[in-house]
């Protein structure tokens, strides 16, 4: 029952998937571009900010 070492080390490529998009709503005060850039790098997803006025964010 010896297996060919070349067959054992072969790694299948992962399926191609689109990059996910995270949409974040907030105000100009809470949506910080520097934080968005760090989160994109850490999480590996695209992040889209939607800036709203304060009253709209409270609903």
């Amino acid at each position: 029952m010896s297996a060919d070492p070349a067959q054992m080390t072969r790694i299948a490529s992962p399926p191609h998937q689109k990059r996910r998009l995270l949409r974040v709503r907030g105000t100009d005060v809470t949506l910080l571009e520097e934080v968005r850039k760090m989160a994109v790098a850490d999480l590996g997803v695209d992040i889209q900010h939607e800036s709203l006025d304060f009253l709209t964010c409270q609903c």
Side-chain angles (χ1 to χ4, degrees), residues 11-22:
I11 299 173
S13 62
H16 179 70
Q17 294 181 354
K18 289 184 178 179
R19 192 168 166 108
R20 293 184 181 215
L21 175 65
L22 175 65

Side-chain angles (χ1 to χ4, degrees), residues 16-46:
H16 179 70
Q17 294 181 354
K18 289 184 178 179
R19 192 168 166 108
R20 293 184 181 215
L21 175 65
L22 175 65
R23 293 186 180 104
V24 181
R25 291 181 174 179
T27 65
D28 289 331
V29 174
T30 60
L31 298 175
L32 304 174
E33 184 62 21
E34 294 80 16
V35 174
R36 186 194 71 78
K37 287 179 182 178
M38 290 190 306
V40 167
D42 287 347
L43 301 175
V45 298
D46 292 328

Side-chain angles (χ1 to χ4, degrees), residues 24-31 48-54 56-57:
V24 181
R25 291 181 174 179
T27 65
D28 289 331
V29 174
T30 60
L31 298 175
Q48 178 184 26
H49 282 169
E50 183 178 353
S51 198
L52 304 170
D53 64 274
F54 179 77
T56 303
C57 284

